[in-house]
Amino acid sequence: MTTSSQQNPVTDGSGRPDGTTPEPARSTPDRSTPGAASTENRGRAVFATVSSFYLPYLVATFVGVMVISNITATKGVVFFPELSVSLGFLQLDGIVTDGAFFLFPLAYVLGDVISEIYGFRTMRRTVLAGFAVLVLAALCFTLTIHLPAADFYDGQEAFERVAGVAPMFLLAGLAGYVVGELLNSYVLVWFKRRTGEKTLWARLMGSTIVGQIADTLVFCTIAAPALGMAIGSGDYWNYTVLGFVWKTLVEFVMLPVTYAVIAWIKKREPSYQEALAATARPARAATGPR
């Protein structure tokens, strides 16, 4: 004859699997025991809270754009090679740029969105995160190039040409990225502290011009020799001036999209709405009852 405890040893969530030595379940501690309540959740899984739903996606996209741009920028590109125009120091023999010309401006759009909504400190952390990923990517590419190739692998030379890291080009990309993005964010936040929510277009355009000037000058001056251009040559000025004009123009064209994204996230970001409400209360209190 068997006992009921042997037939169903764990129906109440307590006891050992063999059903012979009952013990209290962790989910139902003995409340009468001193200190039992404080140890109730011991051993359970705990997780940190993500404070913003949108920020991780913005940061991930920003870093992804930077990594992709640094790879595609290693290819020199010439549009309209038959075009020849002389404008003083600027000699145009075609429009010289690189393979990142169509994607890289998006990094500044994302930087504007992050800076406008989350502030300079958050953007600075984003830039540092991107910097770390770019360095990691360069190290991984370099390590992979030097790994012994398998007998059946015939793409070593092609892989080196695409993923090979030229020290000067890597330095140019990192330096231009850090200087340009931090200046862009700093100028935008500096303007916002003085204008509040007004004149968003002015701080977006002003920060873009400052950031792109710094980024383009730093990047092109360091990268030009790695691309076979002499500093001060027509190709150098072509590369630098047209690069700045193009990237700035793209951001201005994207201004309505940037506006829409910023407005959309602001309305749905609880912490931003709380901050707006907190700044509005003193103003209403000062006016007194109507």
Side-chain angles (χ1 to χ4, degrees), residues 116-117 192 195-198 203 262-284:
E116 170 69 19
I117 299 174
K192 184 173 184 178
T195 62
E197 295 295 307
K198 302 176 181 178
R203 57 181 176 269
I262 288 175
W264 192 85
I265 296 180
K266 279 182 176 180
K267 290 180 180 179
R268 290 161 176 79
E269 186 63 83
S271 61
Y272 197 90
Q273 293 301 315
E274 291 171 4
L276 278 178
T279 57
R281 289 190 202 105
R284 285 199 291 265

Side-chain angles (χ1 to χ4, degrees), residues 185-267:
S185 178
Y186 182 85
V187 171
L188 188 150
V189 173
W190 184 87
F191 269 112
K192 184 173 184 178
R193 292 186 184 280
R194 285 153 179 77
T195 62
E197 295 295 307
K198 302 176 181 178
T199 61
L200 174 59
W201 65 270
R203 57 181 176 269
L204 289 176
M205 294 175 64
S207 63
T208 291
I209 292 173
V210 173
Q212 289 289 11
I213 287 176
D215 186 342
T216 307
L217 279 175
V218 171
F219 176 81
C220 291
T221 300
I222 300 175
L227 292 173
M229 303 179 196
I231 302 296
S233 66
D235 284 340
Y236 167 78
W237 287 114
N238 186 342
Y239 186 46
T240 303
V241 174
L242 291 183
F244 164 75
V245 171
W246 166 257
K247 289 182 286 188
T248 305
L249 181 62
V250 168
E251 289 200 54
F252 286 174
V253 171
M254 291 289 292
L255 205 59
V257 177
T258 307
Y259 251 82
V261 173
I262 288 175
W264 192 85
I265 296 180
K266 279 182 176 180
K267 290 180 180 179

